[in-house]
Amino acid sequence: MPVRMTLLPKTIKMRLSFLYAKPQVWQADMKKQSKTNEVVNRAMVTRLIALAPEEGYNLSPLPDVRFLRSDRPLAETPVLYEPGIVVVCQGRKRGYFADQVYVYDAQHYLAVSVPVPFTMEMDASEREPFLAVYFSLDFVLVAELLLQLEENAAPALVDAQTMFATQMDERMSTSVLRFLDAMADPLEARVLGRTLVKEIYYRVLTGEQGGSMRAALANEGRFGKVFKAIRKIHTAYSEKLDVDQLADEAGMSAPSFHAHFKNVTATSPMQYLKSTRLHRARLLMARNGLTAAVASAQVGYESTSQFSREFKRLFGLTPLEEVARMKQAFALPDADPDALFVSSH
């Protein structure tokens, strides 16, 4: 029986019209959309080449945004990402976390709700360098936006996720391009920067998988409790911490805390603490020129030899070798003094 379009609401008519459209019309629309995406992506690449002239992390006019460039591929390596959004304009990264593979490239961005250690590899070349924008979450701005969404949008009835990679749709691409345009002009960056970052946050939090990030950032349930312990680790990594102390911080029994912590971070609390200390010491040596002995003591190790063993186990190189590799491979700007979390960059 034919569908009587005249009796249907307008929105349903539009959807059915699309389904009954001629194949050549549908294909033409898809080609047009694809061409638009390519034009926007090329523009983003052009802007980022200018904004990221050096390999490594280039500073932006905003303290919580950096531009990343790499002219060479990177084999699988340990990283520690703080909560944030990674928008790739050229090249590809693959993140390996909790038996999952997260691909983030020109078609997919990565969103991280909780600071977690994982491993990553990157595709890049001198001819087509890896180019990306890294947004470290501004939690004041996030809280403001979450409140507005709570007042004006339906609640996110989905489970919280530690991280996800999702489609880079047209609206997100356009928002990022506007942001990059503003970053090239000092006055626009100062006046419009925060507003444009909020727009990008909005695109992520209301996007295809944004509900899971909203749930994670609401700091409720097991995620909220585990997040309290994670913040304790990042602010007190040099202290003598144990599972019981961290469980108390989370307001949970030790066995329950251990299980929930592993569900969120894919590692145990003590392994997480160790990884945080090692990443922090790595940056202290690379940025500040500290020796392994001094850096290890500053992050809470009592034995330099134990530190060196665990460092090589994680990074595959001795502290001296890894610092030399980092200095040769890419630029590493000074750390953000207001950063809430330890990270690998």
Side-chain angles (χ1 to χ4, degrees):
M1 180 181 293
V3 177
R4 297 187 62 184
M5 303 281 285
T6 55
L7 301 180
L8 296 172
K10 183 178 179 182
T11 53
I12 298 179
K13 285 184 189 179
M14 292 173 63
R15 290 173 183 169
L16 287 172
S17 296
F18 176 79
L19 290 174
Y20 283 89
K22 294 180 179 180
Q24 54 266 39
V25 174
W26 178 80
Q27 290 171 2
D29 288 343
M30 291 295 290
K31 287 181 180 178
K32 183 178 180 181
Q33 183 62 54
S34 177
K35 190 170 183 178
T36 300
N37 291 343
E38 289 177 9
V39 170
V40 172
N41 180 253
R42 284 199 299 270
M44 291 165 65
V45 169
T46 300
R47 306 299 191 278
L48 260 184
I49 287 174
L51 291 168
E54 296 184 11
E55 278 198 272
Y57 287 92
N58 294 258
L59 295 176
S60 83
L62 303 180
D64 52 356
V65 179
R66 295 191 178 188
F67 305 123
L68 175 60
R69 175 184 183 137
S70 179
D71 297 344
R72 67 197 83 187
L74 182 65
E76 195 170 325
T77 189
V79 292
L80 176 58
Y81 278 17
E82 56 189 319
I85 303 155
V86 184
V87 176
V88 177
C89 299
Q90 184 168 272
R92 178 177 290 108
K93 282 190 176 185
R94 286 172 295 277
Y96 302 94
F97 173 75
D99 299 323
Q100 299 290 322
V101 180
Y102 298 83
V103 177
Y104 40 125
D105 53 18
Q107 287 78 46
H108 307 86
Y109 62 86
L110 182 76
V112 181
S113 306
V114 178
V116 285
F118 62 102
T119 57
M120 174 273 296
E121 62 183 355
M122 176 172 62
D123 298 337
S125 68
E126 191 170 348
R127 183 178 178 182
E128 291 191 0
F130 178 87
L131 298 166
V133 189
Y134 185 84
F135 298 88
S136 175
L137 286 189
D138 177 338
F139 281 91
V140 174
L141 195 58
V142 167
E144 177 185 316
L145 185 53
L146 287 175
L147 181 61
Q148 290 177 308
L149 288 172
E150 184 180 334
E151 293 173 346
N152 296 283
L157 302 177
V158 294
D159 291 334
Q161 288 189 61
T162 302
M163 69 168 69
F164 61 81
T166 197
Q167 190 75 28
M168 185 84 172
D169 62 24
E170 183 181 356
R171 290 183 300 174
M172 179 67 168
S173 297
T174 303
S175 295
V176 173
L177 180 57
R178 277 199 296 270
F179 172 80
L180 293 176
D181 282 337
M183 290 301 100
D185 183 300
L187 180 59
E188 284 196 19
R190 286 195 299 272
V191 175
L192 301 177
R194 182 178 169 84
T195 301
L196 293 170
V197 168
K198 185 178 180 181
E199 179 183 340
I200 290 168
Y201 286 5
Y202 174 82
R203 298 295 179 210
V204 173
L205 294 174
T206 60
E208 184 180 5
Q209 299 187 66
S212 67
M213 191 174 199
R214 286 161 62 186
L217 295 175
N219 281 333
E220 297 174 352
R222 67 182 177 90
F223 252 79
K225 292 180 178 181
V226 168
F227 194 73
K228 288 181 181 179
I230 287 174
R231 291 194 71 160
K232 177 68 173 180
I233 290 173
H234 282 259
T235 56
Y237 54 80
S238 62
E239 299 175 13
K240 291 184 178 181
L241 298 175
D242 58 34
V243 173
D244 288 336
Q245 288 174 282
L246 295 173
D248 286 343
E249 186 74 22
M252 305 170 76
S253 68
S256 177
F257 168 69
H258 193 282
H260 286 305
F261 191 96
K262 194 162 187 177
N263 283 338
V264 172
T265 67
T267 190
S268 70
M270 291 299 96
Q271 285 295 325
Y272 187 101
L273 173 61
K274 182 192 297 184
S275 178
T276 302
R277 286 173 168 171
L278 292 171
H279 278 286
R280 178 59 178 158
R282 176 175 173 262
L283 288 181
L284 286 172
M285 292 184 290
R287 279 199 176 109
N288 303 344
L290 301 187
T291 64
V294 174
S296 63
Q298 286 196 12
V299 300
Y301 275 88
E302 296 180 353
S303 166
T304 304
S305 59
Q306 180 187 356
F307 166 78
S308 296
R309 286 194 303 273
E310 293 183 350
F311 187 99
K312 187 171 184 179
R313 190 177 301 129
L314 179 63
F315 296 107
L317 297 170
T318 67
L320 279 176
E321 291 169 340
E322 173 63 5
V323 170
R325 183 198 69 81
M326 291 175 67
K327 290 182 176 180
Q328 183 182 15
F330 53 81
L332 196 64
D334 291 340
D336 177 2
D338 298 320
L340 298 175
F341 302 99
V342 175
S343 74
S344 52
H345 53 270

